[in-house]
Amino acid sequence: MIRLIPLEIMRLYKVLPGLYRLRLWGIAMAVFVMAVIDLIGTGILLPILLLVLNDNVVLENKYLALLYNWAGFDSTRSFVFFICMAVLVFSIVRVCLSAWLQYLKDKRLLSISSYLSMRLYRCYYSRGYLFIKQNNSHRLINQVNGVAGNLIQGYFVPFTQLACEIFVTISILIGLIAFNIYVFLLVVFTFVPITLIYYLFSRSRIKEYGKRLYQLVPLKGKLLQQTFIGFTDMEMNNTFPESAARFSGLLKEQNHIMVRNMLLGGSLQKVLEVAIVSSVVVLIVATQLFELPSLGLIVGVFAIAVYRVLPSIIKITGCVFQMKGNSFIFEVLSDIESEPAQGEPVVQNPVDFHHLIEIRDITFSYDKEKMVFCRYSLEIRKGDFVGFRGESGSGKSTLFHLLLGFLQPDSGGIFVDGVLLSSDKLVSWRSRIGYVSQQLFMIEGTLLDNIVMGDSNCLPDMERIRQVLCLASLDHFVDTLPKGVHTPVGEGGSLLSGGQRQRLGIARALYKKAEILMFDEATSSLDENTEHAINESILRLSEECPGLTLLFISHRPESLAICRRIVDISTIQ
């Protein structure tokens, strides 16, 4: 059974909210109006054809004669001139109106595309830390950036064009039936078989090519990012030739597919040219064998039909191929469809930390099989300086992520001053914590931008900036810079040393007035002297800020030596 509206369009319609559904209906109306205008624009050429072929048709055709007498024309020549000018003016108005409707249609389509991108962006982000870490970031980025565009520009836009062209083509074919059923049958039986054979040959290839081209985009992006970020390692290990060869291979595969794709698309017009010649030959032969209207009139009507139908067939086939090539995109809609219904936003409540953090009997596993923690308990008092020690994989970072609320325990809970740390308190809780990891996240901006890390519309407190730079032992370095805190840090902080990046992380945490500082292997990648300097800075912080709670993960005994308390975390089998 042939569906007027594909299932993919119905899926798209269901995931859109009311406002965007109305926009889809508006787009459908715009497409219909454009189709009608286009059809009228084609049909209005018929009076000109009749007048050119026979001047007496003005008096023979009752509609033209009625217009001729009503307007009071005194000669056929002036009437022909009037008809030609009227058709010209109508064509200009038709083009302007169609352009305006096209603008409105595209504007609404792009707004739907933007909505889907934002929906995917929020969907992936809301799935949390574990989902993001377990999925390839390039794939997620490509889907947020590319899927909505492919969905709208690569599927829905062609569908609207397809609907428009089918309407116009069917209307013209009905006009051919009204003119002469035999002419219609001859045209159909020459055009349809050739076009159908071409479509059956090409459709599976088009979808396969479109899907592979889409997959090549993140593969190339990932390879390029790894090349530029890992420049030093590539140079040291001489792996660039291998990466260059892989990139060259991806480019060759892309070019190979694109050439075949363009060949399939470009060959359609050649195929249709063969169909036109076949139709003309059949029509000429038919006029000699059967009682048909004059050859001149037949060829004229056929020319008008082909003038509009041929581009329509090209567009229809192109739209079908484009939709086929992008149909795989709808697999991503399942991410939105599986998204839980959003209820009322969780109202955030403040949480106070004056005395104690309690980890009570928490049990946690990533895969529900191998336990990381089993009924684990721990108490951390305000102002403590606690070091966490354990083998790699023992759960030190996992414990931090549980404390931060990025992971949820299977059982048990985390209590702050006796209050359970639930989802309605996470925003307030995280605002009290400064988190410094081994690979500190840095935006591509200035030192100031990376310390503030907040609303760019709010003016930073420069006095506090100076205080935190001093506490993080970063003030002397900043004073040596010509631009001071307005110095760019480069991509990922590439213009800073490892120690400077870690001190910047400390300054960022202090600027937000964090009551708890968490260091997750923050010094493990530093050389001994730099690590010692950072440890001295952290120790000075604990002495100058007695209410500050410091939690420190390290596998080096030298780093843990500055802590006042050591907690051993053993791997739980």
Side-chain angles (χ1 to χ4, degrees):
M1 179 181 177
I2 300 175
R3 296 183 61 90
L4 293 177
I5 302 178
L7 287 173
E8 289 83 358
I9 298 296
M10 297 302 298
R11 288 180 64 190
L12 174 62
Y13 184 80
K14 289 178 181 179
V15 302
L16 294 175
L19 174 63
Y20 291 95
R21 290 183 179 182
L22 288 176
R23 290 182 181 179
L24 278 183
W25 282 110
I27 291 167
M29 289 300 299
V31 169
F32 177 76
V33 173
M34 289 167 64
V36 172
I37 293 173
D38 208 8
L39 181 62
I40 295 173
T42 303
I44 205 169
L45 294 175
L46 189 59
I48 294 180
L49 174 65
L50 294 174
L51 290 172
V52 169
L53 293 173
N54 183 5
D55 290 345
N56 296 328
V57 79
V58 174
L59 301 176
E60 295 172 359
N61 187 285
K62 61 179 181 179
Y63 299 109
L64 292 177
L66 181 64
L67 178 60
Y68 181 86
N69 295 324
W70 176 79
F73 285 98
D74 55 3
S75 69
T76 303
R77 178 175 296 180
S78 60
F79 182 70
V80 171
F81 178 77
F82 167 78
I83 290 293
C84 291
M85 293 305 298
V87 169
L88 177 61
V89 171
F90 176 80
S91 297
I92 293 172
V93 173
R94 176 178 70 88
V95 169
C96 294
L97 183 58
S98 295
W100 180 69
L101 289 172
Q102 182 73 32
Y103 166 76
L104 294 179
K105 177 175 75 75
D106 291 344
K107 185 178 179 181
R108 282 161 176 74
L109 282 171
L110 290 174
S111 72
I112 295 172
S113 176
S114 298
Y115 167 79
L116 290 172
S117 284
M118 282 301 302
R119 181 87 176 265
L120 275 173
Y121 184 32
R122 295 181 184 277
C123 172
Y124 292 150
Y125 189 83
S126 66
R127 294 193 179 185
Y129 170 82
L130 201 54
F131 171 81
I132 293 173
K133 291 298 181 183
Q134 290 175 343
N135 283 272
N136 185 285
S137 61
H138 289 277
R139 185 182 70 84
L140 297 180
I141 291 169
N142 191 50
Q143 290 182 177
V144 171
N145 282 334
V147 166
N150 281 63
L151 194 63
I152 298 301
Q153 299 297 327
Y155 195 95
F156 190 77
V157 169
F159 173 74
T160 60
Q161 293 172 342
L162 178 67
C164 176
E165 297 301 331
I166 287 177
F167 175 80
V168 172
T169 302
I170 290 176
S171 300
I172 292 175
L173 293 178
I174 291 173
L176 283 178
I177 293 174
F179 171 73
N180 190 292
I181 184 65
Y182 297 108
V183 175
F184 164 77
L185 292 175
L186 288 170
V187 171
V188 168
F189 285 139
T190 50
F191 261 94
V192 172
I194 295 175
T195 308
L196 184 60
I197 291 170
Y198 176 80
Y199 170 72
L200 293 175
F201 171 78
S202 304
R203 60 178 180 177
S204 61
R205 292 171 175 81
I206 290 290
K207 182 177 181 179
E208 178 186 342
Y209 295 160
K211 184 173 184 178
R212 185 55 185 164
L213 285 173
Y214 177 78
Q215 292 172 340
L216 286 173
V217 173
L219 290 177
K220 292 192 301 176
K222 181 179 181 180
L223 184 60
L224 290 173
Q225 185 184 48
Q226 290 174 346
T227 299
F228 297 132
I229 291 179
F231 174 81
T232 53
D233 292 296
M234 282 200 165
E235 282 293 289
M236 294 304 298
N237 295 283
N238 193 31
T239 56
F240 177 72
E242 180 184 348
S243 295
R246 287 175 56 199
F247 188 67
S248 177
L250 291 175
L251 288 176
K252 287 179 180 177
E253 182 181 359
Q254 175 184 271
N255 293 341
H256 178 72
I257 295 173
M258 288 184 69
V259 166
R260 288 173 171 264
N261 209 19
M262 290 187 288
L263 179 63
L264 284 176
S267 60
L268 173 61
Q269 186 168 351
K270 305 300 180 183
V271 171
L272 291 177
E273 287 175 3
V274 174
I276 291 174
V277 174
S278 302
S279 299
V280 171
V281 170
V282 171
L283 284 174
I284 293 174
V285 172
T287 55
Q288 305 298 319
L289 299 177
F290 305 102
E291 293 184 4
L292 297 175
S294 66
L295 180 61
L297 185 57
I298 286 178
V299 173
V301 172
F302 179 75
I304 291 177
V306 169
Y307 160 76
R308 187 58 186 85
V309 171
L310 179 59
S312 287
I313 293 176
I314 294 175
K315 288 181 181 178
I316 287 171
T317 310
C319 289
V320 170
F321 283 171
Q322 195 173 358
M323 291 166 63
K324 202 77 176 174
N326 288 280
S327 59
F328 70 92
I329 294 294
F330 283 88
E331 298 170 5
V332 181
L333 274 187
S334 58
D335 289 337
I336 295 178
E337 291 168 338
S338 63
E339 187 182 8
Q342 293 184 353
E344 293 295 324
V346 178
V347 178
Q348 292 294 315
N349 296 307
V351 58
D352 296 320
F353 174 42
H354 298 296
H355 306 290
L356 184 65
I357 301 171
E358 295 176 89
I359 299 172
R360 297 183 187 173
D361 297 326
I362 62 167
T363 298
F364 178 80
S365 66
Y366 286 100
D367 54 10
K368 309 302 179 185
E369 294 181 2
K370 183 179 179 181
M371 304 300 294
V372 181
F373 292 106
C374 181
R375 301 185 63 82
Y376 183 81
S377 298
L378 179 69
E379 290 186 356
I380 302 170
R381 297 193 175 276
K382 189 176 181 65
D384 269 357
F385 189 175
V386 184
F388 294 86
R389 177 172 55 198
E391 297 177 358
S392 179
S394 60
K396 302 185 298 296
S397 294
T398 300
L399 181 62
F400 270 28
H401 292 146
L402 287 164
L403 285 168
L404 290 164
F406 296 151
L407 301 175
Q408 296 301 316
D410 300 327
S411 63
I414 298 171
F415 295 80
V416 181
D417 287 348
V419 178
L420 177 65
L421 188 60
S422 51
S423 59
D424 63 322
K425 301 179 181 66
L426 287 179
V427 173
S428 175
W429 174 241
R430 289 170 183 162
S431 69
R432 299 176 180 276
I433 300 175
Y435 179 66
V436 185
S437 64
Q438 181 178 353
Q439 298 295 330
L440 182 71
F441 169 71
M442 301 185 71
I443 61 175
E444 191 169 354
T446 64
L447 288 166
L448 181 62
D449 296 331
N450 279 279
I451 292 172
V452 175
M453 286 290 287
D455 188 354
S456 59
N457 296 321
C458 296
L459 293 175
D461 184 345
M462 297 308 297
E463 180 60 33
R464 182 159 183 80
I465 292 290
R466 283 189 287 271
Q467 291 175 0
V468 300
L469 288 174
C470 181
L471 287 171
S473 301
L474 204 58
D475 50 337
H476 295 303
F477 165 69
V478 173
D479 290 340
T480 64
L481 300 173
K483 295 183 179 180
V485 292
H486 301 289
T487 301
V489 300
E491 183 181 6
S494 59
L495 300 181
L496 302 178
S497 69
Q500 289 162 353
R501 285 196 291 269
Q502 298 312 109
R503 286 192 176 96
L504 188 62
I506 296 171
R508 178 192 297 171
L510 294 173
Y511 182 80
K512 68 182 285 191
K513 299 181 180 179
E515 300 175 27
I516 305 167
L517 283 185
M518 303 174 72
F519 296 88
D520 189 353
E521 298 281 8
T523 61
S524 62
S525 62
L526 305 178
D527 62 84
E528 185 177 345
N529 291 334
T530 304
E531 181 183 16
H532 180 73
I534 294 292
N535 290 340
E536 288 292 328
S537 299
I538 295 172
L539 185 59
R540 186 160 65 91
L541 270 177
S542 68
E543 294 170 352
E544 295 182 6
C545 307
L548 187 64
T549 304
L550 293 103
L551 308 180
F552 199 90
I553 290 177
S554 181
H555 63 277
R556 295 181 181 176
E558 298 83 3
S559 295
L560 292 174
I562 64 173
C563 303
R564 302 192 191 98
R565 175 185 167 201
I566 305 295
V567 173
D568 280 300
I569 299 181
S570 301
T571 305
I572 298 174
Q573 302 296 334

